[in-house]
Amino acid sequence: MEGLSLVRPFCCSNASAVSPARARPFLRPPRLHHLPMPRLLPPPSRSRSVGSVVCSTSNDQLSQSVEADSRDWAMQDFYSLRREVEAASARVDDFRASAGLQHLEKELAGLELKASDASFWDDRAKAQQTLLALTDVKDKLRLLSDFKKQVEEAETIVMLTEEMDSKDTGLLEEAAGIIKELNKALDLFELTELLSGPYDKEGAVVNITAGAGGTDAQDWADMLLRMYVRWGEKQRYKTRVVEKSMGEEAGIKSATLEVEGRYAYGYLSGEKGTHRIVRQSPFNAKGLRQTSFSGGKGGQNVNKVETAVRITHIPTGVTVRCTEERSQLSNKIKALSRLKAKLLVIAEEQRASEIKQIRGDAVKAEWGQQIRNYVFHPYKLVKDVRTGYETSDITSVMDGELDPFIKTYLKYKYSMLVSANEAGQ
């Protein structure tokens, strides 16, 4: 188990024997010119003509049957598509209503007014915050407008198809493609709406540490590192392994992964905790089932180089280390940035208003502390113990397919916050 913290007709038959004909008495053959000339092609008879008509009629019936089946399938596809379009239209209307378009437009006007002020750049930090807020509002309004246009385009195709005598497969496929992409965009928009924390829009630093379980735990830590790198690549984020401490036999003792991209921290914030693996150990000669644990604040590179910088926050004991830059000054700047981010996250999680209340972010590596179980043997299952969401497709999960887990947790977290607020009122 590992501890994480965040800063696609042929037929044949046998011929019967032919018996020889009986011998006949000799007869003078008739003259050849008295013999009628044989016809190479017999004239069409009634039976042949009727047989031909029957065969043609059978083919027509078959063709008509196929066409009827095709129409039935097309109608089924059409009705299914119409339901999907109606559902997507309802989602778009709900999102636009909950977003408060008039409020967003007023907010946009206010921010644009601030950005046009002559003294706007007097306070550069404040100006940057205003520009970021302005970009967020513009992006949100653009997305809501695009959603409306896409669903209206799909609705128009459905209306045209209803008025046609036959269903146009090309139009149906076009509408289906629009709705598929629209639903993906709506899912992403829904996720971002659940991310309202002060740092959710920022990048993330993921610290992975191997713990109890020896070589198996270190191999599991390496597997988790690959999983999060693959997830970041699928999100088109920039990922970078900035520190890695290799294990003696296999895997890694610890690693630090930087994920740069909008909302990276918001998505990955729910991944912090202990991850437990159950499998047949590849490092055990008897092939026994192995359970591995780990936890902690996240690993740091143990290699000693002259430019390495290690900074400790004395009131809390939180330590960060940076070694990847070439100069000591660059390492110091990056280390201070990581330390600040770590302290801000700790303060937010513990709801501390004063720095003396911060006590660290260690994760215990023991039974009952895990957030997710990964079972490779005797069956395959990945289950989040907080939300109850599970899947047997463990291969896809280890290849970075974490969105269902992330989405379910964010919804769970949001519902918990709503319940807490209602209880406090």
Side-chain angles (χ1 to χ4, degrees):
M1 186 171 298
E2 311 309 313
L4 274 76
S5 58
L6 297 174
V7 195
R8 101 131 133 121
F10 173 81
C11 59
C12 59
S13 62
N14 294 327
S16 59
V18 179
S19 300
R22 291 183 179 181
R24 295 182 179 180
F26 175 78
L27 298 175
R28 184 184 299 275
R31 294 181 181 181
L32 292 177
H33 64 272
H34 289 157
L35 290 174
M37 293 299 292
R39 292 179 179 272
L40 296 177
L41 294 174
S45 64
R46 185 182 301 275
S47 61
R48 289 181 179 274
S49 176
V50 172
S52 175
V53 171
V54 171
C55 181
S56 176
T57 303
S58 176
N59 288 335
D60 288 343
Q61 291 175 347
L62 179 60
S63 177
Q64 291 173 4
S65 177
V66 172
E67 290 177 0
D69 290 342
S70 299
R71 286 196 299 269
D72 291 341
W73 280 109
M75 291 302 296
Q76 291 179 16
D77 290 341
F78 170 73
Y79 292 137
S80 176
L81 174 62
R82 187 169 63 181
R83 287 192 296 269
E84 291 178 3
V85 171
E86 291 172 351
S89 179
R91 290 186 69 189
V92 170
D93 290 341
D94 289 342
F95 286 167
R96 287 170 63 87
S98 61
L101 292 177
Q102 293 182 353
H103 175 73
L104 287 174
E105 290 170 354
K106 289 181 180 180
E107 186 178 357
L108 177 62
L111 291 171
E112 288 178 338
L113 184 61
K114 288 183 179 180
S116 62
D117 191 273
S119 59
F120 177 70
W121 288 103
D122 290 349
D123 189 337
R124 299 188 65 84
K126 189 176 180 180
Q128 290 290 345
Q129 292 178 356
T130 301
L131 290 178
L132 287 175
L134 181 61
T135 302
D136 289 341
V137 176
K138 284 184 176 181
D139 288 344
K140 196 169 186 178
L141 285 170
R142 177 183 54 79
L143 282 173
L144 293 170
S145 177
D146 289 345
F147 294 159
K148 188 66 174 176
K149 291 178 182 178
Q150 291 177 46
V151 77
E152 287 177 348
E153 185 177 354
E155 288 174 337
T156 301
I157 293 177
V158 169
M159 292 175 61
L160 290 174
T161 306
E162 284 181 323
E163 297 174 358
M164 297 172 66
D165 295 333
S166 61
K167 305 306 176 188
D168 190 324
T169 305
L171 284 176
L172 293 178
E173 290 178 352
E174 181 182 353
I178 293 173
I179 293 301
K180 182 179 180 180
E181 294 302 318
L182 177 58
N183 282 326
K184 288 182 180 180
L186 290 174
D187 289 340
L188 183 59
F189 183 81
E190 185 179 18
L191 277 180
T192 56
E193 288 298 289
L194 296 174
L195 300 174
S196 57
Y199 315 113
D200 286 345
K201 297 177 183 179
E202 306 300 330
V205 177
V206 182
N207 296 316
I208 302 175
T209 307
T215 303
D216 282 280
Q218 294 173 6
D219 183 55
W220 175 229
D222 199 19
M223 292 168 66
L224 284 180
L225 175 61
R226 179 188 179 277
M227 181 181 76
Y228 286 110
V229 169
R230 291 289 294 124
W231 175 84
E233 292 172 350
K234 290 177 184 292
Q235 306 303 315
R236 297 181 180 179
Y237 288 154
K238 181 180 178 181
T239 60
R240 180 187 179 193
V241 179
V242 296
E243 292 181 279
K244 182 189 289 188
S245 177
M246 305 303 296
E248 288 85 357
E249 184 177 347
I252 59 174
K253 293 180 180 178
S254 63
T256 300
L257 172 67
E258 285 187 351
V259 185
E260 297 181 14
R262 198 161 183 78
Y263 291 105
Y265 177 77
Y267 293 144
L268 291 172
S269 60
E271 295 297 298
K272 178 183 176 181
T274 305
H275 296 242
R276 171 177 170 249
I277 182 177
V278 179
R279 68 174 180 179
Q280 282 185 317
S281 174
F283 307 102
N284 190 316
K286 296 181 180 180
L288 299 177
R289 191 175 70 177
Q290 178 73 30
T291 302
S292 301
F293 296 89
S294 76
K297 299 182 179 181
Q300 304 296 338
N301 197 321
V302 297
N303 295 329
K304 295 181 179 179
V305 291
E306 294 180 358
T307 59
V309 173
R310 182 184 182 91
I311 301 176
T312 301
H313 183 252
I314 296 176
T316 62
V318 175
T319 301
V320 296
R321 178 182 172 88
C322 185
T323 62
E324 66 266 22
E325 300 297 335
R326 293 181 177 273
S327 69
Q328 195 172 45
L329 178 60
S330 297
N331 280 325
K332 182 178 180 180
I333 294 174
K334 182 158 287 191
L336 286 171
S337 177
R338 290 179 187 171
L339 178 61
K340 180 181 178 181
K342 207 166 190 178
L343 292 174
L344 287 173
V345 171
I346 295 171
E348 178 193 8
E349 291 179 350
Q350 298 186 356
R351 298 184 180 181
S353 58
E354 296 179 2
I355 199 67
K356 65 181 180 181
Q357 294 176 312
I358 301 175
R359 292 294 181 267
D361 60 343
V363 178
K364 295 181 179 179
E366 57 187 28
W367 287 98
Q369 297 297 324
Q370 65 267 19
I371 65 166
R372 192 176 300 149
N373 295 325
Y374 304 75
V375 183
F376 288 80
H377 181 80
Y379 51 88
K380 296 184 183 299
L381 181 70
V382 183
K383 181 173 183 177
D384 194 299
V385 300
R386 302 162 300 180
T387 65
Y389 181 84
E390 62 182 46
T391 179
S392 59
D393 191 1
I394 195 168
T395 302
S396 295
V397 173
M398 298 311 300
D399 194 42
E401 292 293 338
L402 298 174
D403 286 348
F405 287 94
I406 292 173
K407 181 178 179 180
T408 305
Y409 174 76
L410 290 175
K411 288 184 175 180
Y412 163 80
K413 179 182 176 181
Y414 180 77
S415 63
M416 294 295 289
L417 289 173
V418 171
S419 299
N421 291 334
E422 291 176 350
Q425 290 178 355

